[in-house]
Amino acid sequence: MLPVIILAGDTLFTENFASLSKWKEVYFPKIQAHTKYTAATDGKETFLKTQSHASASVIIYREPFNPYEYPLLRWRWKIDNVLKGADLKTRETDDSPIRVYIAFEYNPKKSTAAERALYGSVKLIYGEYPPHSSLNYTWASEPSAPDIITSSYTDRSKMIILEKGSRKAGMWIEESVDIIADYRRAFGSDPPENATLGIMNDTDNTKGSAVSYVTGIVLSRR
């Protein structure tokens, strides 16, 4: 297979985590302990280091993007360990050492009356609309995890399992995905036109600990 060549004008952004200035941390209601995200260095390489201990939070890239214009996403990630007892199919054990998270923006102008009522009630409680839907590219702790899992919290969130178990722990693994194709495969429909990129390491349900790393994020055209 020939290597994919991406020209500079075809790339929306590249992130190697020399700093976290372009990212913001987002916390979840009722979860008091938060994952630690730091920009780290090993020799000449820079990367995001995530450390979670019975905690959960997500960091979000500050600039949204249009997934129809920039559907191709690449990155490298590594985990130190998986989580004992984690099972993404149940709410009580829904933890993972690393996820690359794509949240699609809710647009009330393109929604049904029922959706506007539902999302409006959530906005009244939390001050902003929740995502319309999300894809979670996930490293599952359980080696037998299926390829796609519907979140036990909401059917508007799908987990696409790219890696499973501990066999590749300690190794940098390169991933490449097509956001539009994956959304259609997971939801059977087209995604909204605005999306946000996030990264998450969560251990709040299993009360375990996990360390993981991400670098080399590239968002580009076809």
Side-chain angles (χ1 to χ4, degrees), residues 47-49 76-80 172 211-215:
F47 49 86
L48 174 71
K49 182 176 183 179
R76 293 190 299 128
W77 58 4
K78 179 174 70 168
I79 64 168
D80 280 357
W172 280 108
V211 179
S212 55
Y213 315 83
V214 181
T215 195

Side-chain angles (χ1 to χ4, degrees), residues 54-146:
S55 63
S57 60
V58 58
I59 60 168
I60 302 293
Y61 195 77
R62 294 181 182 276
E63 297 295 330
F65 68 97
N66 185 331
Y68 291 94
E69 294 182 3
Y70 298 95
L72 302 184
L73 180 63
R74 296 185 295 133
W75 71 91
R76 293 190 299 128
W77 58 4
K78 179 174 70 168
I79 64 168
D80 280 357
N81 63 287
V82 294
L83 293 160
K84 183 178 180 180
D87 184 345
L88 294 167
K89 297 186 295 298
T90 67
R91 184 175 298 194
E92 294 77 16
T93 55
D94 178 10
D95 285 339
S96 171
I98 193 69
R99 315 179 195 216
V100 174
Y101 169 87
I102 309 294
F104 299 88
E105 182 179 316
Y106 166 74
N107 185 347
K109 295 180 180 179
K110 296 184 178 181
S111 302
T112 65
E115 287 176 330
R116 287 194 295 272
L118 174 62
Y119 280 79
S121 64
V122 175
K123 184 180 180 182
L124 285 174
I125 297 172
Y126 297 114
E128 61 183 9
Y129 289 120
H132 169 274
S133 49
S134 67
L135 289 178
N136 296 260
Y137 294 104
T138 306
W139 192 315
S141 292
E142 59 276 27
S144 60

